[in-house]
Amino acid sequence: MDKGFYISLIVQVILITMILAFVIPMDRKYIVREKGKINFKKSKILLRWNVFDTIAVGIAFYAIVCVQVLNFLVSGGLTIENNYVQFFTNQGQSWTIVGAVYLITRLSLVLKGVKEIYGDVR
């Protein structure tokens, strides 16, 4: 592991800290919890486009850029020995995973909210 890997870890810690510093206060402000569970009838923001979705689009865009730069570098003949290849490999992989996990949790919350608000329609 060379410098590219370590710099990537530092960048990830910085980005995650910035995202959490923004998301946690927004979550506390807009998501209504009663007895530890989300009250979907009072938390209508979960069923609309919101700040969390905007952050997710930013993460997805960043992951796409990282993967495309990695593709360009590898196509140019660079190997994993290169610091830039290490950096973009780590960034592309981690932020793609974060984006996929967010998509799954967001869909789950939306489906729970729809079921809670509108009932089990058959």
Side-chain angles (χ1 to χ4, degrees), residues 7-9 11-12 15 62-63 66 86-96:
I7 292 172
S8 178
L9 289 177
V11 169
Q12 285 175 346
L15 288 175
Y62 181 69
C66 287
Q86 292 174 10
F87 176 83
F88 287 112
T89 299
N90 197 13
Q91 290 290 301
Q93 180 181 7
S94 61
W95 292 109
T96 300

Side-chain angles (χ1 to χ4, degrees), residues 41-57:
K41 293 183 180 180
K42 293 181 182 176
S43 300
K44 302 277 188 195
I45 192 169
L46 290 174
L47 301 177
R48 289 184 252 157
W49 185 270
N50 55 48
V51 173
F52 308 116
D53 298 324
T54 306
I55 291 172
V57 168

Side-chain angles (χ1 to χ4, degrees), residues 23 25-34 37-40 42-46 50 52 106 109:
V23 168
M26 296 298 291
D27 181 73
R28 290 184 180 161
K29 182 177 180 181
Y30 291 110
I31 308 301
V32 179
R33 288 186 170 77
E34 295 172 351
K37 292 191 173 188
I38 297 174
N39 184 337
F40 289 99
K42 293 181 182 176
S43 300
K44 302 277 188 195
I45 192 169
L46 290 174
N50 55 48
F52 308 116
R106 177 74 171 137
L109 280 175

Side-chain angles (χ1 to χ4, degrees), residues 60-79 82-93:
F61 181 75
Y62 181 69
I64 290 169
V65 168
C66 287
V67 170
Q68 292 303 317
V69 170
L70 176 63
N71 185 28
F72 178 74
L73 292 173
V74 170
S75 297
L78 297 176
T79 64
N82 185 289
N83 290 331
Y84 292 113
V85 173
Q86 292 174 10
F87 176 83
F88 287 112
T89 299
N90 197 13
Q91 290 290 301
Q93 180 181 7

